[in-house]
Amino acid sequence: MFAIDRQSQTPVYEQVIAQAETLIEAGYFAPNEPLPSVRTLARDLSINPNTLQKAYAELERKQLCYTVPGSGRYVSEKAVEQVRRERRNVLPEIERLSRQLKKAGVPLEELMERVRAAYDEGGNEYDKG
């Protein structure tokens, strides 16, 4: 379910956050379902529990999960909606980059070809079913 790329320049806690968001959006973790415990996931991934605590704290700050004292962390009711909203917030950045590419002379067809290729190869490994 979670996998850490130790060769990546992305910090481990950011990898955990990104994967948790993808798993939530894909329905792997449904609302009010528990996330893996810090102790168990830290052991499975061979990472420091403090690193995982940092990732989970960020997920909670983003309102993607909540803590039940003595019981663990659970996916919030509106987590999927929140993840999708956050991901749509990158659209203005794509618009800005598109304008830069146009100024640089990159043809629209080439840009669209790259976008389509990314969408095609971007199959979600976490899809249920």
Side-chain angles (χ1 to χ4, degrees):
M1 157 178 17
F2 286 89
I4 298 304
D5 178 357
R6 300 197 186 286
Q7 305 304 313
S8 174
Q9 292 187 349
T10 303
V12 170
Y13 82 96
E14 288 181 8
Q15 291 181 49
V16 171
I17 292 166
Q19 289 177 40
E21 289 174 346
T22 299
L23 289 164
I24 288 168
E25 186 177 27
Y28 193 88
F29 294 120
N32 300 311
E33 277 189 12
L35 291 172
S37 75
V38 168
R39 185 179 310 166
T40 300
L41 191 53
R43 184 191 66 235
D44 291 350
L45 297 175
S46 299
I47 62 174
N48 188 312
N50 292 332
T51 300
L52 200 51
Q53 283 284 21
K54 182 176 181 179
Y56 276 13
E58 179 63 13
L59 291 171
E60 198 160 345
R61 187 196 67 73
K62 291 180 167 192
Q63 300 177 345
L64 301 180
C65 68
Y66 60 93
T67 299
V68 175
S71 182
R73 287 191 173 89
Y74 294 80
V75 177
S76 68
E77 285 285 334
K78 296 186 178 187
V80 172
E81 178 184 318
Q82 188 74 9
V83 169
R84 289 182 178 157
R85 184 180 313 117
E86 186 175 308
R87 289 186 174 176
R88 289 187 68 77
N89 285 339
V90 301
L91 289 173
E93 178 68 7
I94 291 171
E95 292 168 356
R96 185 187 67 74
L97 291 171
S98 296
R99 284 190 289 278
Q100 284 183 344
L101 291 168
K102 180 180 179 181
K103 287 178 185 176
V106 175
L108 177 60
E109 296 76 26
E110 183 179 346
L111 173 60
M112 295 307 297
E113 187 178 305
R114 299 275 183 110
V115 170
R116 281 189 190 95
Y119 261 74
D120 290 345
E121 73 182 30
N124 191 338
E125 66 190 88
Y126 301 112
D127 283 340
K128 280 189 168 179

